[in-house]
Amino acid sequence: MNLPNSIEIGGIDVRFEWVDDLTDPDGQDCWGETSSASGSILLDRSLRNNPKRLFSTVIHELMHAISSEYLSFGGDLSEQQVESMTLGFVEVYRQLGPWLEKARKAAYATG
């Protein structure tokens, strides 16, 4: 399954970009990195071979992008908060994924 080129978050177009040997701002190896300034989520190309890690990394980076866009009090969630929310979301989604997809289709059905 291919990841879309971009996603809209709070009216902002956020691009997904694949890169080799991704590092965070501190120079540490990482799987993903969100840049609000450039409107992009960088993903390490090696994730294409690891669907489970890709799923959790995309959710993790989306949590960063969402917190950056929607937290109006001037601060993003911390890395620990994002990681905790990611773990919780992945756990719930594993259990409710099929129902959530049916509910999404019903809620946004045209016609």
Side-chain angles (χ1 to χ4, degrees):
M1 178 176 358
N2 291 328
L3 192 62
N5 292 329
S6 64
I7 186 171
E8 189 175 302
I9 300 175
I12 306 294
D13 190 47
V14 178
R15 295 177 320 280
F16 291 105
E17 298 178 22
W18 296 98
V19 297
D20 293 314
D21 303 318
L22 184 61
T23 58
D24 66 17
D26 296 326
Q28 300 295 314
D29 290 341
C30 64
W31 299 111
E33 183 69 27
T34 298
S35 172
S36 300
S38 67
S40 62
I41 293 176
L42 305 177
L43 298 168
D44 192 279
R45 198 175 308 277
S46 67
L47 290 171
R48 289 183 171 184
N49 300 321
N50 189 336
K52 188 174 182 180
R53 169 87 58 193
L54 175 60
F55 179 76
S56 62
T57 301
V58 168
I59 297 301
H60 180 98
E61 296 308 324
L62 287 172
M63 294 280 185
H64 278 298
I66 290 166
S67 76
S68 178
E69 183 61 29
Y70 284 99
L71 293 181
S72 60
F73 54 83
D76 296 338
L77 294 175
S78 70
E79 188 65 26
Q80 184 177 4
Q81 289 169 320
V82 168
E83 185 61 24
S84 296
M85 293 295 295
T86 299
L87 292 171
F89 181 84
V90 169
E91 177 184 13
V92 168
Y93 190 83
R94 275 198 329 259
Q95 298 171 68
L96 289 179
W99 179 86
L100 288 169
E101 181 59 19
K102 289 177 187 172
R104 181 194 63 81
K105 285 180 181 178
Y108 297 101
T110 58

